[in-house]
Amino acid sequence: MAKDFVYQGQRIGVVGAGFSGTVLARELAQAGYLVTLHESRSHIGGNCHTERCPQTGVMVHVYGPHIFHTNDAEVWGYAGRFARFRPYCHRVKATAQGRVFSMPINLHSINQFFGTSLSPKEAQQFIAAQAIRGDEAPQNLEEQALSLMGPALYEAFFKGYTQKQWGCAPSSLPASILQRLPLRFSYDDNYFFHRFQGIPEDGYTALMGRMLDHPNIDVHLDSLANRDTARRYDHLFWTGPLDAYFAHSHGRLGYRTLDFDRFEVEGDGQGCAVMNYPDAQIPHTRVTEHKHFAPWETHDRSVLYRETPRYCGVADIPYYPVRLTTEKALLSTYEHLAAAEGNTRFLGRLGTYRYLDMDVTIREALDAARAFLRGQSLAPQLSGAA
Ligand code: UDP
């Protein structure tokens, strides 16, 4: 590490060792800057952190399932420089009203649910006849769902799940959340519609560990940072919660957090990586069986997580930003404050308070690093190893 190096150029601080902070640190270190990274937890990897369960040997996605999928060939290639990605196709099932269905909604789930044997064209006409469309474009998640699939599928698969996931009525949520999921009139049950999909063979933490393995990067774990941290650096990249940087001075941005109820079984617990539970009367949203994320491995025992979302309290881990009306006003206040911070840039899911997938996070970090490097008039002083 570069601890003893007397640096004569600009000092770069990065806060947060998730994908945003890790990619940024790597790119700037490689361009010759000395980077100090502060991570408040005792491990790197952010919420993508993976670790092997010592009892079962299963690679566990400690903060919930993470499947890497993207259309961005550069990002896919970039991530692949730091890990061997194994082919993986995410196929989700849903237990609804006592029966198991294929997700996302596809021709199989439609025929299962309605007890039909429709062809793609027939199914399209059948669903179109149920769709409820207003004159204007859908304004919220509920309108979006009703206009796409009609009330029967919406109520069975989306209404309860969304209510549990976000803790509010689907009619108060943005339609964009649902745009994450396809509705298909074929038997394609791949959860994602991206060109590239895979899981790093030895986990996301090992991948990010290799990104940070650079002589110009100094990683500090268990290191709390705040606005004063910025004073120690010529430039600070903050990927922690935006409101935390300002000590929540105008209030707290709302998040959903997740409770994981962990259990182990002998053999195979549910036969797939993720089983969703959209019924409103069941408190959890899904059960993840981690060993199915690594079908190339064999394990006698299995680790499962029952996942229950709830409001994120002060001491909880923030997962999903809730962008409702009150949050939007507060967000705008913090965004104005952020724009006035001379030497701090805000990045990533927590730093910009957005629901981001891993590939978008990496793309934005790469772009931010490049923009920073383009904007620097002073040549960096260190010559980094590639
Ligand atoms: N969703 C749902 N039922 C499901 C799966 C998803 O209603 O069985 C809705 C829900 O509102 C969720 C959103 O679709 O927040 C996005 O789902 P995704 O699987 O992308 O969520 P993530 O894996 O990011 O938690």
Side-chain angles (χ1 to χ4, degrees):
M1 287 289 177
K3 266 184 190 147
D4 301 328
F5 195 89
V6 181
Y7 186 57
Q8 300 176 2
Q10 299 189 42
R11 292 173 50 80
I12 307 286
V14 174
V15 174
F19 263 122
S20 294
T22 303
V23 168
L24 247 162
R26 175 72 187 202
E27 289 304 288
L28 300 192
Q30 204 153 301
Y33 287 90
L34 180 62
V35 180
T36 306
L37 191 147
H38 300 270
E39 167 55 53
S40 62
R41 293 172 178 170
S42 55
H43 62 77
I44 62 161
N47 280 1
C48 306
H49 176 51
T50 42
E51 66 185 24
R52 277 204 190 275
C53 164
Q55 286 81 36
T56 62
V58 171
M59 183 67 85
V60 174
H61 295 214
V62 177
Y63 301 95
H66 283 82
I67 300 99
F68 202 94
H69 55 96
T70 188
N71 273 336
D72 189 328
E74 191 198 355
V75 164
W76 177 245
Y78 185 84
R81 274 175 46 202
F82 300 96
R84 180 176 177 213
F85 274 78
R86 290 282 204 147
Y88 173 85
C89 180
H90 197 38
R91 292 196 172 88
V92 174
K93 302 284 176 272
T95 299
Q97 303 167 5
R99 293 163 62 205
V100 178
F101 298 94
S102 169
M103 284 298 277
I105 302 289
N106 61 66
L107 192 49
H108 201 182
S109 16
I110 293 168
N111 278 327
Q112 282 174 311
F113 186 78
F114 294 104
T116 48
S117 51
L118 302 170
S119 69
K121 200 172 168 191
E122 288 166 344
Q124 232 159 330
Q125 289 163 350
F126 179 74
I127 296 297
Q130 304 191 22
I132 301 172
R133 295 203 177 101
D135 295 336
E136 289 173 15
Q139 298 298 305
N140 57 56
L141 194 151
E142 182 164 272
E143 286 180 15
Q144 173 83 20
L146 290 173
S147 74
L148 274 175
M149 65 190 78
L153 291 174
Y154 165 62
E155 275 162 33
F157 295 104
F158 293 92
K159 193 174 178 181
Y161 189 103
T162 298
Q163 183 94 36
K164 292 188 285 187
Q165 173 73 14
W166 296 98
C168 60
S171 56
S172 54
L173 287 163
S176 59
I177 292 178
L178 210 66
Q179 282 155 11
R180 295 171 58 82
L181 293 190
L183 169 67
R184 298 208 185 97
F185 295 99
S186 72
Y187 287 98
D188 179 2
D189 60 353
N190 183 346
Y191 202 67
F192 302 114
F193 38 85
H194 286 143
R195 271 169 73 202
F196 308 105
Q197 187 175 171
I199 303 255
E201 189 173 51
D202 57 356
Y204 293 97
T205 302
L207 183 162
M208 286 191 240
R210 283 188 281 272
M211 278 184 181
L212 294 173
D213 183 15
H214 190 285
N216 291 358
I217 302 177
D218 196 7
V219 178
H220 296 254
L221 297 177
D222 300 306
S223 173
L224 283 175
N226 55 34
R227 198 179 183 184
D228 291 338
T229 311
R231 298 214 189 98
R232 288 193 236 155
Y233 300 101
D234 297 296
H235 297 278
L236 185 75
F237 291 89
W238 179 274
T239 74
L242 174 61
D243 52 347
Y245 180 86
F246 297 102
H248 310 282
S249 52
H250 291 259
R252 286 182 179 270
L253 290 167
Y255 281 95
R256 298 294 284 169
T257 191
L258 301 172
D259 286 331
F260 295 110
D261 170 23
R262 183 190 189 284
F263 60 103
E264 280 183 27
V265 297
E266 199 60 46
D268 197 347
Q270 63 180 16
C272 63
V274 175
M275 174 72 76
N276 287 356
Y277 288 87
D279 292 350
Q281 66 275 19
I282 294 174
H284 53 276
T285 47
R286 57 186 175 185
V287 175
T288 295
E289 184 163 13
H290 296 268
K291 73 177 178 184
H292 291 299
F293 289 123
W296 57 89
E297 296 181 2
T298 42
H299 301 282
D300 294 338
R301 285 186 69 74
S302 198
V303 181
L304 295 94
Y305 273 18
R306 202 175 281 118
E307 184 174 324
T308 308
R310 63 174 167 80
Y311 174 78
C312 182
V314 174
D316 297 320
I317 298 170
Y319 284 82
Y320 297 92
V322 185
R323 293 174 78 103
L324 299 180
T325 320
T326 37
E327 272 85 14
K328 280 189 185 152
L330 190 54
L331 176 61
S332 156
T333 305
Y334 282 123
E335 281 173 341
H336 278 98
L337 290 173
E341 284 297 290
N343 70 336
T344 304
R345 290 160 210 216
F346 297 84
L347 217 71
R349 181 178 57 98
L350 300 173
T352 62
Y353 193 63
R354 284 176 304 146
Y355 186 6
L356 297 180
D357 283 335
M358 291 182 279
D359 62 326
V360 181
T361 307
I362 294 176
R363 160 56 56 206
E364 294 190 0
L366 283 175
D367 289 348
R370 284 168 191 166
F372 174 78
L373 293 173
R374 273 197 309 271
Q376 292 306 296
S377 50
L378 283 174
Q381 308 272 310
L382 295 175
S383 58

